């Protein structure tokens, strides 16, 4: 428009579109009211246009295009000799017009805006979806259909009692009531139970080992069993209550994530005892006893490895590492104790398992735990 | 005679494109031509015409230019684009086929 724009700088800046500003023009052409007021059309037509463009909620630059078009429309109707009432009647419902014009104008917007709108819609839809999920989650009641503990215990149940290690370990543990005493307190591999021959704690350890020979023999018997046979539960069984005097009682919904895992710590203790007994046997030159201690440690590791928890797999690896370390040192420091048959037996035992991945087999049980968690939600 | 909304939804854009085939036109001109050439059958409320034109524009079937008339009033002229011409040709065939089919069914024609 060539006409001089009235008003101060602030007014002009407020109503000038950015594209005009960038071209150095202060057009102030976004002032809809001024544009409508200046139009040579009837007042009812002006009112209609004003209401309609306001209802579109479009951008000002879009509104002004609609205003120009509608002003031209009513001016053309007037020029064609149509009365203002007839022109307004022929125009139709202004609300419908506003809605349709707004929708059509938005379709004409650029790709960036369309993408932004799509992203915004998706975000809102996602938030709504999550709110819905939240409502379902908090309003619903869990209806577990699978007894996940039964799945975890299936192998133990299917194994005859005589082939289960845990009942024997239980007896061994009860025969070591002082297993939580000072001998077993200390950081990893630094407790008196880990003492080496010649060390300050060694005499006390040797005395303890001799005093608990029956328990050590029981551990070795248990380590020869194919299955650990510990019965998993949210709390501890009646049989195990004496082993775990402070254990939490079973209560509420049995969730695997709440399963009692205190038995893993007890197995760490019995493995430490076997390692200590192996050191004593080596120090005394008793090959058969040292070999029994070595096999007992690996037997415990194998049993723990078949347990469902990630932590049990890690502890099993740790026990295996200690056993291998003891065997390694034994061969290096006391080679005269080992004949060909002993070395062959060690080699065969150390060759197991065939694959390193067999050392970590918790994926299936983790799936059971995950499913159990889901079914309790 | 008033045409059902659904029928008009299909016929309206084709009718407008057909009118623009003859050259560029502004909004009120289209209103008058639709009314006159269809004997009022395809006369649509202008509340429908302008969104229809904007939609055709969004689809690239028509293009618009603004020209300032002698009275310094800006007026928007619409013209058919090449894409619009191709679309109109396709629509024309479809309408002819539809019309022929309706004729065979005895719905239209003698």
């Amino acid at each position: 428009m060539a006409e001089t724009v009235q008003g101060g700088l602030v007014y002009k800046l407020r109503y000038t579109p950015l594209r005009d500003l960038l071209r150095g023009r202060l057009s102030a052409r976004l002032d809809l009211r001024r544009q409508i007021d200046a139009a040579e059309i009837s007042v009812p037509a002006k009112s209609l246009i004003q209401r309609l463009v306001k209802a579109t909620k479009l951008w000002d630059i879009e509104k002004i295009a609609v205003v120009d078009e509608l002003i031209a429309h009513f001016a053309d109707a007037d020029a064609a000799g149509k009365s203002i009432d007839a022109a307004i009647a022929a125009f139709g419902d202004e609300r419908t017009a506003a809605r349709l014009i707004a929708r059509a104008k938005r379709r004409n917007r650029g790709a960036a805006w369309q993408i932004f709108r799509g992203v915004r819609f998706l975000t809102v839809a996602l938030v709504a979806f999550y709110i819905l999920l939240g409502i379902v989650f908090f309003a619903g009641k869990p209806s577990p259909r699978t007894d996940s503990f039964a799945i975890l215990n299936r192998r133990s149940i299917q194994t005859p009692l005589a082939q289960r290690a845990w009942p024997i370990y239980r007896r061994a543990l009860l025969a070591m009531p002082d297993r939580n005493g000072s001998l077993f307190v200390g950081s990893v591999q630094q407790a008196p139970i880990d003492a080496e021959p010649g060390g300050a704690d060694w005499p006390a350890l040797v005395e303890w080992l001799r005093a608990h020979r029956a328990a050590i023999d029981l551990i070795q018997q248990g380590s020869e069993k194919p299955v650990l046979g510990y019965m998993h539960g949210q709390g501890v069984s009646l049989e195990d209550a004496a082993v775990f005097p402070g254990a939490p009682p079973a209560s509420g919904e049995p969730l695997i994530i709440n399963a009692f895992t205190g038995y893993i710590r007890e197995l760490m203790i019995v493995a430490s005892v076997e390692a200590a007994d192996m050191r004593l046997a080596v120090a005394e030159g008793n090959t058969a006893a040292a070999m029994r201690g070595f096999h007992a440690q690996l037997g415990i590791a194998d049993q723990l490895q078949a347990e469902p928890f990630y932590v049990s797999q890690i502890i099993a690896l740790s026990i295996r590492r200690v056993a291998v370390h003891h065997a390694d040192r034994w061969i290096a420091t006391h080679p005269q104790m080992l004949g060909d048959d002993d070395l062959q037996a060690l080699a065969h035992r150390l060759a197991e398992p065939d694959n390193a991945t067999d050392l970590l087999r918790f994926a299936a049980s983790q799936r059971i735990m995950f499913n159990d968690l889901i079914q309790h939600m | 005679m008033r045409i059902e909304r659904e029928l008009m939804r299909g016929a309206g854009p084709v009718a407008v494109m057909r009118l623009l085939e003859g050259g560029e036109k502004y909004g009120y001109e289209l209103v008058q031509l639709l009314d006159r050439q269809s004997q009022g059958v395809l006369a649509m409320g202008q509340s429908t015409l302008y969104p229809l034109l904007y939609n055709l524009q969004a689809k690239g079937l028509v293009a618009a230019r603004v020209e300032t008339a002698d009275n310094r009033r800006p007026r928007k002229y619409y013209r058919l684009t090449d894409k619009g011409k191709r679309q109109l040709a396709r629509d024309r065939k479809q309408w002819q086929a539809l019309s022929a089919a309706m004729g065979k069914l005895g719905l239209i024609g003698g």
Side-chain angles (χ1 to χ4, degrees):
Chain A
M1 274 200 243
E3 69 186 273
T4 309
V5 178
Q6 302 296 318
L9 183 64
V10 175
Y11 165 82
K12 288 175 185 171
L13 283 171
R14 183 181 169 194
Y15 290 111
T16 299
L18 186 62
R19 68 179 71 160
D20 287 1
L21 273 178
L22 293 173
R23 288 171 185 161
R25 289 175 56 204
L26 286 170
S27 61
R29 63 188 172 100
L30 295 181
D31 187 349
L32 300 172
R33 186 175 288 273
R34 186 179 66 89
Q35 193 82 344
I36 293 169
D37 286 346
E40 293 170 353
I41 56 173
S42 65
V43 174
K46 287 180 182 178
S47 301
L48 185 147
I49 294 170
Q50 197 148 8
R51 289 194 304 273
L52 190 148
V53 291
K54 189 179 176 187
T56 60
K57 295 174 182 167
L58 290 167
W59 295 338
D60 282 351
I61 195 81
E62 293 167 329
K63 281 181 181 172
I64 207 74
V66 175
V67 164
D68 284 344
E69 183 138 43
L70 294 183
I71 287 172
H73 173 86
F74 283 107
D76 287 334
D78 185 44
K82 205 159 193 172
S83 73
I84 184 60
D85 288 342
I88 287 176
F91 189 80
D93 179 47
E94 64 185 71
R95 283 188 183 179
T96 308
R99 185 168 48 82
L100 294 175
I101 286 171
R103 193 189 297 165
K105 277 286 180 187
R106 286 192 190 108
R107 281 191 191 131
N108 275 289
R109 288 179 183 173
W113 185 86
Q114 305 292 355
I115 291 167
F116 170 75
R117 190 168 74 151
V119 170
R120 191 179 59 181
F121 174 78
L122 275 177
T123 307
V124 171
L126 265 177
V127 168
F129 178 65
Y130 273 98
I131 289 172
L132 185 71
L133 283 182
I135 292 168
V136 170
F137 180 81
F138 287 109
K141 282 183 74 179
S143 53
R145 275 169 284 189
T146 306
D147 183 353
S148 302
F149 276 116
I151 297 172
L152 289 190
N153 290 329
R154 187 180 295 156
R155 187 161 177 242
S156 298
I157 293 167
Q158 288 170 348
T159 305
L161 199 60
Q163 294 303 310
R164 298 184 205 171
W166 180 254
I168 303 172
Y169 290 148
R170 188 195 297 135
R171 283 163 54 205
L173 288 165
L174 291 173
M176 300 188 296
D178 54 350
R179 67 186 185 281
N180 291 316
S182 60
L183 196 68
F184 295 85
V185 176
S187 54
V188 179
Q189 302 295 307
Q190 298 295 320
I193 188 69
D194 304 310
E196 296 289 340
D201 294 317
W202 182 248
L205 175 58
V206 170
E207 188 182 337
W208 188 91
L209 289 170
R210 287 187 174 137
H212 293 82
R213 175 49 51 197
I216 294 167
D217 290 343
L218 280 172
I219 294 169
Q220 288 171 359
Q221 284 175 39
S223 70
E224 290 166 4
K225 302 298 179 189
V227 173
L228 179 63
Y230 177 80
M231 299 302 289
H232 296 283
Q234 188 154 316
V236 296
S237 64
L238 282 174
E239 294 90 340
D240 289 337
V243 182
F244 308 106
S251 61
E253 278 290 318
L255 262 166
I256 287 191
I257 204 160
N258 291 336
F260 180 73
T261 53
Y263 74 100
I264 296 174
R265 182 183 171 277
E266 301 299 329
L267 290 176
M268 284 173 71
I269 289 174
V270 298
S272 303
V273 169
E274 285 304 323
D277 192 53
M278 182 180 173
R279 289 195 299 280
L280 176 61
V282 171
E284 291 175 340
N286 186 341
T287 301
M291 200 63 90
R292 279 198 301 276
F294 170 73
H295 283 291
Q297 291 175 77
L298 289 184
I300 295 164
D302 288 345
Q303 290 160 354
L304 255 181
Q305 211 122 32
E307 285 297 286
F309 306 109
Y310 180 70
V311 65
S312 62
Q313 313 273 304
I314 299 297
I315 299 296
L317 277 177
S318 166
I319 292 171
R320 189 178 299 278
R321 192 194 72 80
V322 171
V324 171
H325 172 68
H326 277 65
D328 183 41
R329 208 172 46 177
W330 183 20
I331 296 167
T333 58
H334 299 77
Q336 72 285 358
M337 284 177 67
L338 294 155
D340 287 347
D341 291 345
D342 299 322
L343 287 170
Q344 201 169 29
L346 276 176
H348 284 169
R349 191 66 178 92
L350 288 169
E352 298 168 5
D354 289 341
N355 298 303
T357 49
D358 290 344
L359 296 173
L360 287 170
R361 291 174 294 189
F362 56 89
S365 52
Q366 291 297 308
R367 193 174 297 118
I368 295 169
M369 291 174 80
F370 180 76
N371 290 338
D372 186 65
L373 194 64
I374 294 294
Q375 74 168 348
H376 282 89
M377 282 183 170
Chain B
M1 183 185 179
R2 187 177 169 82
I3 302 295
E4 287 290 335
R5 196 172 160 177
E6 289 305 315
L7 268 177
M8 199 61 193
R9 190 172 286 172
V14 184
V16 169
M17 285 197 292
R18 169 71 188 94
L19 291 176
L20 291 175
E21 197 179 23
E24 63 178 13
K25 290 172 182 61
Y26 55 90
Y28 195 76
E29 195 178 4
L30 285 167
V31 169
Q32 286 182 310
L33 285 171
L34 275 172
D35 191 14
R36 199 163 53 233
Q37 292 192 9
S38 69
Q39 277 103 40
V41 173
L42 292 176
M44 58 177 82
Q46 288 96 57
S47 60
T48 313
L49 175 75
Y50 289 105
L52 187 154
L53 285 167
Y54 300 153
N55 278 328
L56 290 175
Q57 200 178 353
K59 290 175 185 169
L61 300 175
V62 303
R65 70 177 180 89
V66 177
E67 189 177 292
T68 305
D70 293 342
N71 57 5
R72 293 165 64 189
R73 193 176 64 224
R75 179 183 269 161
K76 201 170 182 180
Y77 286 88
Y78 295 92
R79 64 178 169 78
L80 205 57
T81 62
D82 290 341
K83 187 180 174 186
K85 286 174 187 167
R86 290 195 295 274
Q87 181 64 44
L88 180 61
R90 283 194 293 272
D91 288 349
R92 180 177 275 133
K93 281 181 185 170
Q94 290 189 26
W95 278 99
Q96 283 168 349
L98 183 67
S99 176
M102 290 299 187
K104 284 175 185 168
L105 288 172
L107 275 170
I108 54 174

